[in-house]
Amino acid sequence: MIYLDNAATTFPKAPGTLERAVELYRELGVSPGRGNHDLAMRASDAVEEVRAKVATFFGAPDPTRVAFAANASDALNTVLLGLVRPGDHVVATRLDHNSVLRPLHHLAATGVIAWDAAPFDDAGIVTADAVEALLRPNTRLVVMAHASNVIGTVQPVAEIARRCAARGVPVVVDAAQSAGQVPIDMAAMGIGALAFTGHKSLYGPSGIGGLVLMPSLDVETSRFGGTGMDSASLVHTRSYPLRLEAGTLNLLGVLGLGLGLDFVSLEGVEAIHAREAALLRRLRDGLVSIDGVTVYLASGGLSDRVAVLACNVAGVHPQDVGAILDGDFEIAVRVGVHCAPLAHRDLGTIDRGAVRFSLGAFTTAADIDAAIAAMRAIATG
Ligand SMILES: Cc1ncc(COP(=O)(O)O)c(C=O)c1O
């Protein structure tokens, strides 16, 4: 089987990481931060070690401002609900995923906020001008996908953050697709908050992600519960990171995330990205040479994007393309509307969606050549 659905989740994970995570969990699998006994403290230390790794990986100065979450969606809910107040305005982008769009839609539908989505240009980029044009005096924050999960373009977040900072507006980045594929330095790029998920290009298991904050940005608690701290009080802990973590952590997930981060750091984000970009070019060049295949917004060298490519075959429904790739060629891809409805509307693919190929650290040139050959066979009937 050839797996080209890594934007959904990377598969397989790095050799040995899951085994090692389970081994550590067997040794330390008690409730971290909830007991004074030796094992609970060792479990807490293991969690804090991963917290520090996350902060370093994203160029954030303070590990206590790393709050673990279930995934990027969970972290985005935490930061959006924790920052906006009634009457606020929010700017997002038309490339955003439903994990940004739906919380904003909900907040708007319940009368809490108004929001606008900045358009992308012909190259699939949301420019700083496009974002700045939407800022209002009451804009509370800008939230945006760093990399599009449909077309793979990487947005000029540093420039956008610089312009927004001049207007006193923090930028919240959804790094679900970029973390592990694009170097991120929150301090250097001026990012106020970053949501990440562990199971994509950080090569961790599903069920773990997090929110990373710069110390200048305070986020209010939107979910309340036990933290193992101030237990006599009815008030949820105000200190970070527990302010944004209610209930027992996903310890196995945290351990797996730490090992995934070790793998990515050892390989090097730039090295992984360079390999994937070369394969992405190979895929794009192969697909555009096939009559009847349309590739969406994938011109140029592609070294400035994540390894995601969307296309369609004339006269064949994307669901059928996916079924044939799977059934006849044992190639796994994602088809349909990829949780980014505004992007699909603008690409003209909202009705049928598209076929999405997404590469990972273990994708080979042979995988790409097999995918091109399969698409040629489908396009020529
Ligand atoms: C751009 C983007 N944001 C957010 C998410 C949500 O990630 P998760 O499902 O891990 O919460 C995804 C997942 O596909 C994504 O591609």
Side-chain angles (χ1 to χ4, degrees):
M1 190 261 231
I2 295 172
Y3 184 79
L4 293 174
D5 194 16
N6 290 279
T9 196
T10 50
F11 180 84
K13 303 303 177 188
T17 49
L18 297 178
E19 292 79 355
R20 180 68 188 136
V22 170
E23 208 177 288
L24 284 171
Y25 190 71
R26 273 211 196 95
E27 270 172 42
L28 303 172
V30 298
S31 189
R34 299 293 194 279
N36 293 330
H37 54 84
D38 181 56
L39 204 49
M41 287 196 263
R42 284 176 54 210
S44 293
D45 288 348
V47 168
E48 297 318 313
E49 207 179 292
V50 179
R51 221 186 273 287
K53 268 184 203 169
V54 170
T56 304
F57 188 81
F58 290 117
D62 184 357
T64 69
R65 299 294 176 115
V66 174
F68 289 114
N71 46 42
S73 309
D74 187 25
L76 284 161
N77 272 272
T78 299
V79 68
L80 293 173
L81 296 174
L83 282 177
V84 299
R85 302 278 165 279
D88 280 348
H89 174 249
V90 171
V91 174
T93 82
R94 295 190 66 86
L95 285 175
D96 283 329
H97 188 274
N98 274 335
S99 55
V100 167
L101 301 177
R102 286 183 175 170
L104 295 183
H105 177 77
H106 170 77
L107 288 165
T110 50
V112 181
I113 64 161
W115 66 289
D116 289 297
F120 51 94
D121 65 15
D122 291 349
I125 299 293
V126 180
T127 63
D129 284 346
V131 172
E132 201 173 14
L134 295 175
L135 296 180
R136 297 185 194 167
N138 64 335
T139 302
R140 177 71 183 99
L141 61 97
V142 168
V143 55
M144 60 189 302
H146 191 193
S148 161
N149 66 312
V150 181
I151 50 175
T153 50
V154 174
Q155 308 313 315
V157 161
E159 173 61 11
I160 291 170
R162 197 180 60 76
R163 301 259 200 111
C164 290
R167 308 272 291 264
V169 176
V171 171
V172 175
V173 169
D174 167 9
Q177 291 295 343
S178 58
Q181 282 204 52
V182 180
I184 298 175
D185 184 326
M186 288 179 67
M189 294 165 79
I191 298 169
L194 177 140
F196 69 94
T197 201
H199 65 100
K200 297 186 195 272
S201 296
L202 297 179
Y203 293 87
S206 50
I208 188 71
L211 179 67
V212 189
L213 298 175
M214 290 304 278
S216 52
L217 195 64
D218 270 324
V219 173
E220 289 304 323
T221 307
S222 55
R223 261 159 313 163
F224 307 83
T227 57
M229 215 183 143
D230 304 333
S231 295
S233 169
L234 290 180
V235 178
H236 189 93
T237 316
R238 296 285 297 161
S239 60
Y240 292 99
L242 295 174
R243 174 179 180 139
L244 303 175
E245 288 176 353
T248 304
L249 277 182
N250 173 3
L251 177 60
L252 180 56
V254 170
L255 296 169
L257 170 67
L259 292 158
L261 280 170
D262 288 347
F263 163 74
V264 173
S265 303
L266 200 66
E267 293 277 310
V269 174
E270 280 97 343
I272 294 175
H273 179 253
R275 277 204 307 270
E276 291 185 15
L279 293 174
L280 189 69
R281 275 193 295 278
R282 189 183 185 106
L283 177 64
R284 188 272 317 272
D285 293 347
L287 292 179
V288 297
S289 74
I290 304 171
D291 274 349
V293 172
T294 303
V295 175
Y296 297 100
L297 302 191
S299 57
L302 304 187
S303 50
D304 52 357
R305 56 175 75 199
V306 299
V308 168
L309 189 142
C311 65
N312 265 316
V313 181
V316 190
H317 197 285
Q319 296 289 347
D320 295 334
V321 174
I324 299 168
L325 285 174
D326 184 31
D328 292 355
F329 297 95
E330 292 187 65
I331 297 174
V333 297
R334 169 122 190 246
V335 295
V337 173
H338 307 291
C339 293
L342 303 183
H344 278 282
R345 267 189 226 169
D346 295 354
L347 293 170
T349 55
I350 190 68
D351 295 336
R352 299 178 311 157
V355 180
R356 183 183 72 181
F357 292 91
S358 53
L359 286 47
F362 305 110
T363 304
T364 64
D367 295 339
I368 297 301
D369 293 346
I372 296 165
M375 289 294 279
R376 181 165 282 119
I378 294 169
T380 55

